[in-house]
Amino acid sequence: MTKQTWALAVHGGAGTILRAKMTPEKEAAYHAALRRVLEAGQAVLRDGGLAIDAVTAAVVVLEDEPLFNAGRGAVYTSAGEQEMDAAVMDGRDRQAGAVAGIFGPRNPIRVARLVMDSPQVLLTGAPAVDLARAAGLPFGDRDYFFTEPRWTALQETMALRASGTAETDPARRHGTVGAVALDLSGNLAAATSTGGMTAKPPGRVGDSPVIGAGTFADNAICAVSGTGHGEIFIRWTAGAEIAARIRHAGQTLEQAATAVVMEDLMPNDGSGGVIAVDRAGNIAMPFNCEGMYRGTARRGEAPQTFIYR
């Protein structure tokens, strides 16, 4: 890679529709949505914009797309509510902002950006919502955030629990969106946003807003955004572990990301995956489940989108 390059990777979650249940129409819709997300991030990077602005722009589009479990497509808690988490991290100085358990702001990632520019790192609930309102960010009501598939998924999950049947569909178990980027000045950034797990207990917070678990960026190493079983990503500090393997063990981005996803997370019920980019513009996107909605774009290359292996 030359120094004057930019790179972008995005994901719409590792909780994909099982291949056997995927229709050609639905698959085309996911690919089209991922292309729109990539274009939003590319538009910033092509013009010499900052990585932190590119990942924020990409995740805003992901949050606005009801196909994905974030923002407008967020899943429901066991109480029939929606509680959203998001985080951003700037590799230039490790500035980070995160929110958890919020409802109202249309784009939780924009609220996380507000927190990043404050003395805090993580805000939860009402104070985070108040911050968004004071900044004039757009809000949505229950009708805006309602999607029939997410409501149906809640009913199905609650019925499975009532019958004592284990949940096996990854599309209901987890889902997250995220973006990582390298800009033309060599800056790295990561952004992650989620509605969490279908029928999660009210107040449950996953790895997305936990810096070093689901979101991480450092210009000297890499940027990471995760998607999967959040509790396991937190326990194994997935994002920070990838960076540590590169920094202290001399592993490549691909080696480090794959080892964490396949050797740390998978044996411990850590279903999911990550997207990561390093300071040379290398991209890694390992996952240990059937699929992960994902896409890449890099200077001089045509954008690509993927769902399954």
Side-chain angles (χ1 to χ4, degrees):
M1 296 292 168
T2 65
K3 287 190 176 181
Q4 292 298 309
T5 192
W6 57 260
L8 173 70
V10 303
H11 72 79
T16 61
I17 296 173
L18 296 173
R19 190 190 288 269
K21 297 182 179 180
M22 179 68 81
T23 66
E25 295 78 15
K26 183 71 78 174
E27 188 166 2
Y30 277 107
H31 281 291
L34 288 168
R35 286 193 293 270
R36 291 193 297 272
V37 173
L38 287 170
E39 181 52 42
Q42 289 178 94
V44 176
L45 297 170
R46 278 194 303 253
D47 292 339
L50 290 171
I52 189 69
D53 293 329
V55 295
T56 302
V59 171
V60 164
V61 178
L62 283 159
E63 290 174 334
D64 289 343
E65 174 53 68
L67 287 172
F68 302 113
N69 175 17
R72 199 170 190 182
V75 299
Y76 289 87
T77 70
S78 59
E81 305 293 335
Q82 289 164 303
E83 297 179 358
M84 303 170 204
D85 308 331
V88 292
M89 189 166 184
D90 191 333
R92 291 177 296 178
D93 51 10
R94 290 205 185 195
Q95 282 291 108
V99 293
I102 69 169
F103 178 83
R106 292 192 179 195
N107 297 108
I109 202 67
R110 285 179 166 156
V111 192
R113 277 296 296 269
L114 292 175
V115 177
M116 190 185 81
D117 294 329
S118 78
Q120 287 73 48
V121 170
L122 173 61
L123 279 183
T124 64
V129 174
D130 291 343
L131 183 68
R133 187 171 285 111
L137 294 184
F139 274 60
D141 58 13
R142 286 183 66 93
D143 288 341
Y144 171 81
F145 287 105
F146 176 85
T147 56
E148 190 67 45
R150 301 303 189 199
W151 187 252
T152 299
L154 172 63
Q155 311 311 312
E156 292 171 347
T157 301
M158 297 303 285
L160 286 172
R161 288 184 181 177
S163 67
T165 305
E167 173 61 78
T168 59
D169 187 346
R172 283 200 292 261
R173 282 195 67 190
H174 50 64
T176 306
V177 307
V180 293
L182 169 74
D183 66 33
L184 289 171
S185 298
N187 301 308
L188 293 166
T192 314
S193 181
T194 186
M197 300 172 80
T198 299
K200 65 183 180 181
R204 178 264 187 186
V205 177
D207 64 301
S208 296
V210 178
I211 302 304
T215 306
F216 180 83
D218 185 317
N219 275 10
I221 315 169
C222 64
V224 181
S225 174
T227 167
H229 189 166
E231 284 74 8
I232 311 305
F233 277 64
I234 293 171
R235 292 174 193 163
W236 267 260
T237 57
E241 177 65 17
I242 291 169
R245 285 171 173 269
I246 297 169
R247 184 178 185 182
H248 301 299
Q251 294 186 351
T252 65
L253 181 76
E254 186 69 37
Q255 289 171 335
T258 300
V260 169
V261 170
M262 305 305 291
E263 298 171 18
D264 291 347
L265 300 177
M266 187 169 71
N268 295 290
D269 195 30
S271 173
V274 303
I275 55 170
V277 62
D278 66 16
R279 59 183 182 172
N282 298 303
I283 292 172
M285 301 189 293
F287 56 96
N288 58 34
C289 46
E290 183 164 356
M292 180 169 74
Y293 304 112
R294 63 205 189 278
T296 63
R298 197 154 31 204
R299 187 176 187 179
E301 299 179 13
Q304 295 182 288
T305 60
F306 313 90
I307 299 177
Y308 303 105
R309 297 195 183 278

